[in-house]
């Protein structure tokens, strides 16, 4: 059995829950994980490639390696066995576009006007092309850069990946689209190659997978960054065989007379099911498997860092046990996400890490691994994990911070400060109470006040929300 840490033990709410907590009991005996330990010796390598894969609204326990009892994800489980599976990894926010801002910039979403949108929903909002990004900083050091899939940081003509450091873009600008027609949340066509519309009526996950397979299989002459952002399993809940249902949704979008009607058509509130959601997650897993196989065939697998995560917590059909909350809120279910890192040249497999990390940390980490320097005018909010992953250096205790309109949250060690939508403050010990049910604020008022004051100090440096 893998080692069960105090943090993992906090989720053991009964014998029947054991298989769900941190995915530990879900890992087959032959693939048992061990606590993370950096490799003591590693061969010299050149600068690595980066394959950063995001699922969309994928919940923390939606992978079988994280405890899902009904979803089978053999390719992502294999990826976890070949690298490090993080149990206490978080998204930068509780919704899609703010987390993407935090990944692309390495900063809190509230540092930029576009990051205040939760999520970006009109043509006036977006990531300022003048702001340095992971892609633009890597490109300055000689990296080739591409983004395939969901951008969700603004629409043309003002915003686009190609305006923010990516050499190539193939995908959608908005937060959601119908998987076959490619009609998006503004009611118009939203599939682009560069800045030109592109037509392909096949299932979107299939189209993105083909593009990613082609990109990683090229004869690259420079190290590369590929952001591969799937929309799966975000609503509308459609699988590859659901073209007829997709056509019905597309017809409703075309007939819509308001933004609300478009959103209702895409969300299809009477649609979806656990079975359909399972089918979508399993198709995401198969897609990732195809891309990873193409990477293996290309001969670049050994020196490519693969990072897989979700952009926020799960939604209606996700399997989130034992977490409380879901997408949109800062309870654990809204921000704790499955996260896997693999780098065969430098990191051993079959490992599990319980270190609390969040999206901006990965930006800082990839920049350091590439030898790229952040822009001093735009200091990062993330902490590079390079010393931890490669040299076994202990991560100093720090505060992980989140702010959305409805909630606030801060984590320090096992302690979490959380303010709910009613403005009530709570204090949880995640090491003993992963489900956030026992409010210890009345018992530890000094600690609650200390964490709240830390949250307010950080928030004071961010942009205020517009009225």
């Amino acid at each position: 059995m893998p080692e069960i840490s105090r943090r993992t033990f906090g989720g053991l709410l009964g014998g029947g829950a054991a298989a769900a907590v941190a995915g530990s009991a879900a890992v087959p005996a032959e693939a048992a994980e061990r606590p993370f330990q950096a490799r003591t010796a590693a061969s010299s390598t050149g600068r690595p490639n980066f394959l950063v894969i995001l699922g969309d609204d994928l919940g923390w326990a939606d992978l079988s390696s994280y405890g899902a009892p009904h979803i089978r994800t053999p390719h992502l489980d294999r990826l976890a066995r070949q690298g490090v599976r993080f149990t206490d990894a978080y998204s930068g926010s509780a919704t899609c576009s703010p987390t993407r801002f935090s990944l692309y910039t390495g900063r809190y979403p509230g540092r930029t006007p576009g990051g205040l949108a939760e999520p970006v929903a009109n043509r006036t909002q977006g990531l300022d092309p003048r702001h340095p990004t992971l892609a633009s900083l890597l490109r300055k050091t000689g990296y080739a850069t591409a983004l395939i899939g969901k951008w969700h940081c603004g629409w043309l003509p003002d915003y686009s990946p190609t305006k923010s450091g990516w050499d190539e873009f193939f995908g959608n600008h908005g937060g959601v689209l119908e998987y076959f027609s490619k009609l998006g949340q503004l009611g118009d066509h939203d599939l682009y190659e560069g800045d030109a519309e592109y037509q392909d009526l096949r299932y979107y996950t299939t189209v993105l997978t083909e593009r990613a397979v082609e990109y990683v299989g090229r004869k690259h002459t420079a190290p590369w960054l590929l952001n591969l952002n799937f929309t799966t399993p975000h609503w509308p809940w459609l699988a590859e065989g659901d073209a007829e249902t997709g056509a019905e949704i597309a017809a409703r979008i075309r007939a819509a007379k308001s933004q609300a009607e478009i959103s209702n058509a895409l969300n299809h509130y009477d649609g979806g099911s656990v079975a359909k959601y399972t089918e979508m997650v399993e198709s995401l897993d198969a897609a990732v498997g195809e891309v990873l196989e193409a990477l293996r065939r290309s001969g670049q697998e050994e020196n490519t860092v693969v990072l897989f995560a979700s952009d926020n917590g799960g939604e209606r059909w996700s399997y989130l046990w034992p977490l409380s909350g879901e997408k949109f809120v800062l309870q654990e279910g809204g921000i704790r996400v499955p996260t896997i890192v693999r780098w065969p040249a430098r990191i051993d497999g079959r490992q599990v890490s319980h270190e609390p990390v969040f999206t901006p940390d990965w930006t800082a980490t990839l920049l350091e691994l590439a030898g790229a320097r952040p822009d001093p005018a735009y200091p990062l909010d993330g902490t590079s994990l390079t010393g931890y992953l490669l040299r076994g250096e202990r991560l100093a205790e720090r505060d992980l911070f989140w702010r959305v309109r409805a909630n606030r949250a801060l984590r320090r060690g096992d302690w979490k400060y959380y303010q709910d939508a009613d403005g009530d403050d709570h204090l949880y010990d995640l090491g003993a109470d992963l489900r956030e049910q026992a409010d210890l604020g009345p018992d530890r008022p000094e600690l609650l006040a200390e964490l709240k004051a830390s949250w307010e100090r950080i928030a004071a440096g961010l942009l205020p929300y517009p009225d």
Side-chain angles (χ1 to χ4, degrees), residues 105-421:
T105 68
R107 310 176 79 208
Y108 299 130
R111 298 284 187 202
T112 61
L116 299 177
E118 297 174 353
V120 166
N122 62 60
R123 294 188 188 277
T124 68
Q125 304 165 330
L127 176 57
D128 188 337
R130 295 168 296 183
H131 196 296
T133 64
L134 172 64
S136 68
L137 294 169
L138 289 178
R139 190 164 70 172
K140 284 183 179 179
T141 69
Y143 272 73
T145 58
L147 191 150
I148 296 174
K150 176 175 169 176
W151 160 243
H152 205 187
C153 286
W155 281 268
L156 291 169
D158 296 324
Y159 309 106
S160 170
T162 57
K163 298 179 186 296
S164 289
W166 282 269
D167 300 319
E168 302 178 32
F169 169 56
F170 179 87
N172 59 302
H173 290 98
V176 58
L177 81 172
E178 193 277 305
Y179 280 79
F180 297 93
S181 68
K182 314 304 185 293
L183 292 178
Q185 69 188 85
L186 299 184
D188 53 4
H189 186 79
D190 192 14
L191 177 58
Y192 284 79
E193 184 171 38
D195 291 344
E197 286 191 24
Y198 189 90
Q199 298 290 330
D200 192 324
L201 298 179
R202 294 177 299 156
Y203 189 60
Y204 194 35
T205 305
T206 301
V207 176
L208 296 181
T209 303
E210 286 184 3
R211 284 286 176 144
V213 165
E214 186 277 328
Y215 186 86
V216 302
R218 290 182 194 172
K219 299 298 183 183
H220 291 276
T221 58
W224 47 264
L225 161 72
L226 171 58
N227 289 94
L228 175 55
N229 299 343
F230 288 101
T231 56
T232 315
H234 194 292
W235 48 266
W237 290 290
L238 299 169
E240 191 156 14
D242 294 330
E244 185 175 335
T245 303
E248 295 173 0
I249 293 172
R252 290 176 59 192
I253 294 172
R254 293 188 181 99
K257 294 180 172 57
S258 69
Q259 189 63 56
E261 290 182 1
I262 294 172
S263 297
N264 289 340
L266 282 166
N267 200 320
H268 68 136
Y269 289 100
D270 58 342
S273 64
V274 171
K276 183 58 61 181
Y277 184 82
T278 297
E279 190 176 353
M280 293 183 75
V281 175
E282 292 182 352
S283 77
L284 170 66
D285 177 74
V288 172
E290 286 188 46
V291 177
L292 295 179
E293 172 59 20
L295 182 66
R296 186 195 64 78
R297 292 196 307 268
S298 75
Q300 301 171 95
E301 180 180 71
E302 184 74 7
N303 200 33
T304 296
V305 176
V306 177
L307 168 63
F308 175 87
S310 179
D311 60 347
N312 48 249
E315 218 188 333
R316 185 184 311 175
W317 305 110
S318 283
Y319 182 75
L320 294 170
W321 179 261
L323 308 183
S324 295
E326 58 182 16
K327 179 182 177 179
F328 297 113
V329 301
L330 296 178
Q331 291 173 290
E332 293 294 286
I335 51 176
R336 192 181 287 220
V337 293
T339 300
I340 300 166
V341 173
R342 184 189 76 180
W343 187 11
R346 299 298 303 273
I347 298 174
D348 291 333
R350 300 181 187 270
Q351 300 196 81
V352 60
S353 171
H354 306 300
E355 286 291 339
V357 299
F358 75 149
T359 301
D361 293 339
W362 298 114
T363 315
T365 302
L366 300 188
L367 289 174
E368 183 174 355
L369 291 175
R373 294 183 179 275
D375 188 321
Y378 300 87
L380 303 181
D381 291 311
T383 298
S384 174
L385 307 176
T386 299
Y388 170 70
L389 291 172
L390 301 188
R391 298 183 294 276
E393 296 172 3
R394 185 178 181 84
L395 285 175
E397 187 172 81
R398 62 206 171 103
D399 293 342
L400 301 186
F401 168 95
W402 297 270
R403 183 189 73 165
V404 299
R405 283 182 180 271
N407 297 146
R408 55 169 67 176
L410 182 140
R411 177 169 175 172
R412 179 185 297 172
D414 279 343
W415 292 104
K416 181 177 177 180
Y417 161 60
Y418 173 71
Q419 185 182 90
D420 61 30

